[in-house]
Amino acid sequence: MKILVATDGSKYGRWAIEWVAAMPFLLQPVVRVLHIVDVASVRAPFMVQPVMAGTERYIQSEVNRLEKAAKAAKEESVALLAKLGLNGGVTVERGAVAGAIMKYAERGASLLSIGSRGLDALDRFMLGSVSNHAIHHAPCSVLVVKERPRPIRRVILAIDGSAASDKALKFLIRQVNPTPDGSDSEPILVTVVHAMPYLKYPEVKEAGKQLMQRYGDKLAKSGFQIREALRLGKPADEILSTAKQEKTDLIVTGAKGLGAIRRVLLGSVSTRVVQQAHCGVLVVR
């Protein structure tokens, strides 16, 4: 699997690399770390035009600072890849941050790892806004990192029965090792969460139970430990609440749901889950 990691030299950027090493992938991934220098965006916050009389010295100073930061970030990333035993390399690119990340993601990346936040606004990277752009527009799955890497022991799989949920299920089965500490160790616990609106019809609730069981059976056959959680309420609220209660290490969800008619809308709730979750969120495409 090819993984693209976007970093800006902040702690969140470093964590995005470290999370790739912490993830219990079945196969060793090939990692490309990308740092973008957005020279065109250099301007004082109050300026309408990128260049005005008397600002040349400021602009050149900012460009020099960005170039210096990029060099330091590259050196740090190279050292970090070696320390973590990850196979790959580091690239420094000039251009608009979000556009450059999407361009590299389109070159066959299966997963984009990115921090939920970056450096302050003056650093022109703003991973917080870029990560939001990524979950909506990246051509591949996106891992949004919120914290330092931790061992993956508890995972939530949020489902609604859509094709997007099926893809999230397949990612876990095909890419993740259920027993990362060895075949004799306790397997990863996956809590399958299906949130439903408050309805009076018992057959709808029964259909939800059957849906969870279908997903759970497939995960169990692949070696995962399973827990089913049928919730009544708004999907995003129930996913976040369950994640907090169970001290979840990672939330996995599909990029899109069944649509407005079915009232599930995983496509829209994934944005809220990414923004408010205490842990990392993997949005699968």
Side-chain angles (χ1 to χ4, degrees), residues 130-138 142 144 255 270-271 274 283 285:
V130 175
S131 62
N132 186 60
H133 179 89
I135 63 174
H136 291 288
H137 301 289
V142 179
V144 181
S270 61
T271 302
V274 167
V283 181
R285 277 192 172 81

Side-chain angles (χ1 to χ4, degrees), residues 46-67:
F46 54 83
M47 292 181 183
V48 177
Q49 298 298 326
V51 178
M52 294 178 65
T55 65
E56 293 86 352
R57 181 178 299 178
Y58 164 81
I59 292 174
Q60 188 57 52
S61 175
E62 280 291 282
V63 170
N64 292 341
R65 187 180 65 82
L66 289 177
E67 296 283 5

Side-chain angles (χ1 to χ4, degrees), residues 44 48 57 63 73 92 112 157 180 243-244 258 274:
V48 177
R57 181 178 299 178
V63 170
V92 176
L112 167 63
L157 174 63
K244 186 175 181 179
L258 292 167
V274 167

